[in-house]
């Protein structure tokens, strides 16, 4: 599977057609990839609703299909030949023949299903999944440029993709730009259940609550007095804010082991936020929960 070419002008996929160019633009072109033909007219109200939505769906398909728009008032021949009775009427051509179609304005979900049926429904989705995987791999390798490019590419295909939104926010977080990360994650719904979105929001919550002061100073205080739970708690917050979630979990678990009820169980509560920030299936969360259970139920 190859990625859709992000450098290709998407407007090349959308063309104003004519009777004179129908054979080349539709019939011949459909022998190499599906071509959608939108029969419309300037006086048609539903056409003004359908055509922009259809253009959006074709762009989202990232080269899987082409769209040819034909004004039937200026170009009536093929509309008559295909027995277009009302507009908008949409036909899909494959291998030089009309294979599917519909009439009237339809919702975006139906347009997507129409295009998916033409393309096998796998091309763009497969690209999106591969790009998301590439972004995650780049993040793991600390290749922020590669990660940003992959997640941005997904968002150009699916602007509402919550995993890509969270991925871009993580890139900004890794670069120390918490403000841009907050603006980016705000693109996701407030009630999002996507784990990646929840993880970023938890990381931002940890960053915003981090105390002012260097970790080295806090580490020195803890070393001088291992029972200074406030210093260890502050150290955990600083560690979490810098991305050291394992270190933060270790510090908080040390507090719980020494005094589980300290400061109204503040360490245990903060641990849950750290686990959420790390991700439910991460080693930090799984190992941390196991150790927490051992402490609480020993």
């Amino acid at each position: 599977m190859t990625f859709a070419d992000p450098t290709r002008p998407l407007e090349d996929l959308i063309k104003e057609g004519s009777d004179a160019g129908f054979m080349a633009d539709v019939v011949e072109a459909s022998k190499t990839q599906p071509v959608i033909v939108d029969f419309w007219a300037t006086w048609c109200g539903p056409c003004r609703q359908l055509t922009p939505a259809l253009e959006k769906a074709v762009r989202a398909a990232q080269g899987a299909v082409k769209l040819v728009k034909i004004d039937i008032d200026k170009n009536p021949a093929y509309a008559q030949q295909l027995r277009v009775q009302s507009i908008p009427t949409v036909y899909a051509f494959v291998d030089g023949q009309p294979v599917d179609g519909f009439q009237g304005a339809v919702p975006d979900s139906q347009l997507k299903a129409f295009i998916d049926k033409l393309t096998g429904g796998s091309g763009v989705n497969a690209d999106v999944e591969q790009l998301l995987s590439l972004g995650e791999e780049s993040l793991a390798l600390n290749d922020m440029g590669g990660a940003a490019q992959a997640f941005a590419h997904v968002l150009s295909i699916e602007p509402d993709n919550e995993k890509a939104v969270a991925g871009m926010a993580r890139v900004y977080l890794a670069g120390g730009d918490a403000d841009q990360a907050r603006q980016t994650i705000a693109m996701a719904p407030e009630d999002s259940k996507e784990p990646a979105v929840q993880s970023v929001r938890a990381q931002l919550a940890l960053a915003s609550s981090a105390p002012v002061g260097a970790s080295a100073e806090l580490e020195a205080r803890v070393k001088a007095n291992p029972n200074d739970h406030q210093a260890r708690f502050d150290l955990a917050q600083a560690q979490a804010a810098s991305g050291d979630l394992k270190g933060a979990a270790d510090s908080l678990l040390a507090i719980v082991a020494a005094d589980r009820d300290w400061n109204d169980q503040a360490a245990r509560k903060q641990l849950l936020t750290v686990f959420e920030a790390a991700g439910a299936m991460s080693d930090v969360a799984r190992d941390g929960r196991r150790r927490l259970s051992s402490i609480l139920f020993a």
Side-chain angles (χ1 to χ4, degrees):
M1 177 65 66
T2 58
F3 296 149
D5 183 359
T7 64
R8 178 182 181 181
L10 295 184
E11 291 305 326
D12 288 353
L13 305 174
I14 301 172
K15 186 173 186 177
E16 297 288 345
S18 66
D19 285 340
F22 194 91
M23 287 299 297
D25 295 338
V26 177
V27 176
E28 293 301 322
S30 71
K31 294 179 181 179
T32 57
Q33 73 180 124
V35 177
I36 296 172
V37 183
D38 175 20
F39 290 102
W40 67 285
T42 55
W43 48 263
C44 167
C47 295
R48 289 193 292 272
Q49 178 182 350
L50 175 67
T51 299
L54 190 54
E55 291 177 354
K56 179 181 177 182
V58 168
R59 291 189 187 99
Q62 290 281 296
V65 295
K66 287 185 176 181
L67 172 64
V68 176
K69 301 181 294 181
I70 296 182
D71 182 341
I72 64 169
D73 288 339
K74 297 178 180 179
N75 303 278
Y78 281 94
Q80 293 172 1
Q81 184 174 325
L82 291 167
R83 299 181 181 178
V84 173
Q85 301 295 320
S86 64
I87 53 174
T89 290
V90 172
Y91 278 104
F93 279 72
V94 175
D95 292 330
Q97 299 293 326
V99 296
D100 202 355
F102 63 85
Q103 292 181 337
V106 300
D108 291 349
S109 59
Q110 188 170 332
L111 290 177
K112 184 178 185 304
F114 181 75
I115 291 175
D116 284 348
K117 183 178 178 182
L118 284 175
T119 62
S122 60
V124 172
N125 289 338
D127 277 1
V128 165
E129 291 304 316
Q130 288 194 18
L131 285 164
L132 288 171
S133 296
L134 178 61
E136 292 294 332
E137 181 180 350
S138 297
L139 276 175
L141 296 173
N142 205 34
D143 176 12
M144 296 306 145
Q149 184 176 7
F151 293 130
H153 193 166
V154 173
L155 291 173
S156 74
I157 301 171
E158 298 181 1
D160 298 328
N161 189 294
E162 294 181 26
K163 290 182 180 179
V165 169
M168 285 299 296
R170 288 164 62 198
V171 169
Y172 289 122
L173 268 176
D177 193 345
D179 288 340
Q180 188 61 51
R182 288 190 185 89
Q183 293 178 33
T184 302
I185 205 65
M187 295 166 57
E190 290 186 10
D191 59 351
S192 172
K193 303 300 182 185
E194 168 58 47
V197 172
Q198 294 177 335
S199 172
V200 170
R201 286 178 172 157
Q203 290 181 58
L204 286 168
L206 290 169
S208 64
S209 64
V212 177
S215 296
E217 178 184 342
L218 294 168
E219 289 174 353
R221 287 175 55 190
V222 170
K223 185 175 181 180
N225 181 8
N227 291 320
D228 186 344
H229 299 326
Q230 185 61 56
R232 195 182 294 273
F233 187 82
D234 291 345
L235 174 60
Q237 289 183 294
Q239 289 169 320
S242 68
D244 182 11
L245 297 178
K246 183 180 184 304
D250 289 342
S251 295
L252 293 168
L253 284 164
I255 297 173
V256 176
D259 184 354
R260 69 182 65 179
D261 294 321
W262 175 79
N263 197 16
D264 194 24
Q265 300 189 13
R268 185 186 64 80
K269 294 174 183 176
Q270 188 76 339
L271 263 173
L272 300 181
T273 303
V274 170
F275 294 159
E276 186 176 25
M281 300 308 295
S282 66
D283 291 340
V284 170
R286 289 186 294 185
D287 181 61
R289 290 185 185 280
R290 179 184 58 77
R291 291 166 62 192
L292 180 61
S293 297
S294 298
I295 293 169
L296 296 178
F297 300 107

